[in-house]
Amino acid sequence: MSSSSSVTVHILDKEYSIMCPQEERTNLVSAARYLDTKMREIRSSGKVIGADRIAVMAALNITHDLLHKQEAPQAQTSSATREQVRDLLDRVDLVLATDPNERKS
């Protein structure tokens, strides 16, 4: 059974103490750094004012990226499958187009 301990992270100039299992500590710190970076990028753009709004925009951007990355492998797999099917159809067409007497050898 894993024990939890408090981890302190800094996000947009604020300090947060979060309870976290020891084995997840590194992931939590990385996630907090990533969120902090995204929020700073949004704040520095000057288009969004207020920590709450910046946090919501960062959450939307991160969620959009995550969903896009989840869809991408499916599209790549689908494309690769289509390519394999086309290749097989080309091979079948080639075999069917050859003289039947040549295929018997």
Side-chain angles (χ1 to χ4, degrees), residues 19-36:
M19 293 300 291
C20 176
Q22 191 63 34
E23 64 271 10
E24 291 295 322
R25 181 184 179 101
T26 303
N27 290 335
L28 175 62
V29 171
S30 294
R33 265 195 224 119
Y34 184 78
L35 178 59
D36 181 60

Side-chain angles (χ1 to χ4, degrees), residues 3 8 21-22 25 28 35 57 62-63 68 77 92 98:
S3 63
T8 302
Q22 191 63 34
R25 181 184 179 101
L28 175 62
L35 178 59
M57 289 305 298
I62 292 167
T63 303
H68 181 69
T77 301
V92 169
T98 60

Side-chain angles (χ1 to χ4, degrees), residues 2 9 11 21 23-24 46 48 51 56 58 63-64 68 83 85 95 105:
S2 64
V9 296
I11 301 171
E23 64 271 10
E24 291 295 322
V48 181
V56 169
T63 303
H64 176 267
H68 181 69
E83 222 172 286
V85 169
V95 168
S105 53

Side-chain angles (χ1 to χ4, degrees), residues 25-65:
R25 181 184 179 101
T26 303
N27 290 335
L28 175 62
V29 171
S30 294
R33 265 195 224 119
Y34 184 78
L35 178 59
D36 181 60
T37 300
K38 291 297 182 185
M39 289 179 70
R40 288 178 186 281
E41 287 172 4
I42 292 168
R43 182 175 68 180
S44 69
S45 75
K47 295 178 182 177
V48 181
I49 298 172
D52 290 347
R53 290 177 182 258
I54 291 170
V56 169
M57 289 305 298
L60 286 172
N61 288 336
I62 292 167
T63 303
H64 176 267
D65 292 345

Side-chain angles (χ1 to χ4, degrees), residues 13-24:
D13 304 325
K14 291 190 179 183
E15 189 174 281
Y16 299 90
S17 291
I18 302 165
M19 293 300 291
C20 176
Q22 191 63 34
E23 64 271 10
E24 291 295 322

